[in-house]
Amino acid sequence: MLQALSYQQPKLLAFARTLMSDPKLSWREGLETFLRRCCYSSSGIAVLSAEEEQMVFRRLSPEEYQAFQRSQLILFGELLAVFGIPVATIDPRLFGNLALAMIMVRKAMPEGLPFLFPEMADEMVSFQIGALADALERARDAKPPHGENRPETENEP
């Protein structure tokens, strides 16, 4: 399963680059298209359910888990770079958590999360994409504090 997730990373980056270099799309349109495709496309991003994550996690050694976390951190740092957002203004782990949580919840509705309101799923995703885009736009436009840089993504766990 982890190999399948790793296999999709270059494809996700290529798709994001294509969107961000499309002269017909604004920055925000490119970002929102990327996020929307991740939430809705069956050929988009493979995301494990909470149950699948727990099953895989129980079978990983600590070293395998750390290696996977590093690859995820690198992916989300590279996505931020594609979107023109310095990692000094938003932690790639926060971006990863927000994006993955949104995608996981949408893909789990209605079967996996029956107590949510499935009829509001699309409105929920639109709201979340807008809120995430707003936060990323602020991060993109923010100037990193002088002399303050986050560690390089390759060096973080």
Side-chain angles (χ1 to χ4, degrees):
M1 284 187 143
L2 294 183
Q3 288 176 341
L5 294 174
S6 295
Y7 176 75
Q8 77 181 353
Q9 290 180 354
K11 293 179 180 195
L12 286 172
L13 288 165
F15 178 58
R17 285 185 191 104
T18 299
L19 291 170
M20 297 315 289
S21 64
D22 186 338
K24 296 179 210 134
L25 297 176
S26 69
W27 176 86
R28 188 175 183 105
E29 290 168 333
L31 173 67
E32 288 182 353
T33 299
F34 177 82
L35 294 171
R36 199 166 270 102
R37 179 79 60 90
C38 290
C39 287
Y40 288 104
S41 175
S42 59
S43 62
I45 182 172
V47 175
L48 302 178
S49 69
E51 294 82 13
E52 290 167 332
E53 280 197 20
Q54 291 169 7
M55 180 191 70
V56 171
F57 177 75
R58 283 191 291 270
R59 289 168 174 75
L60 294 177
S61 70
E63 295 79 19
E64 290 169 324
Y65 173 71
Q66 287 179 346
F68 179 73
Q69 287 291 86
R70 270 193 304 278
S71 75
Q72 289 289 92
L73 181 59
I74 291 167
L75 170 66
F76 288 107
E78 289 176 345
L79 282 170
L80 287 173
V82 169
F83 298 133
I85 303 166
V87 295
T89 61
I90 187 165
D91 192 314
R93 297 170 296 185
L94 175 60
F95 169 56
N97 280 357
L98 292 170
L100 288 173
M102 176 178 61
I103 295 164
M104 287 174 71
V105 168
R106 176 59 189 103
K107 289 191 178 213
M109 291 177 78
E111 295 85 16
L113 295 168
F115 294 138
L116 293 182
F117 298 97
E119 67 275 10
M120 296 305 296
D122 293 335
E123 290 84 353
M124 177 194 72
V125 168
S126 290
F127 179 87
Q128 290 174 313
I129 287 173
L132 184 52
D134 288 344
L136 292 176
E137 190 167 18
R138 284 190 302 274
R140 180 192 70 172
D141 296 341
K143 296 200 184 309
H146 182 66
E148 206 176 295
N149 291 319
R150 288 198 186 276
E152 295 297 319
T153 56
E154 295 86 25
N155 295 332
E156 291 189 21

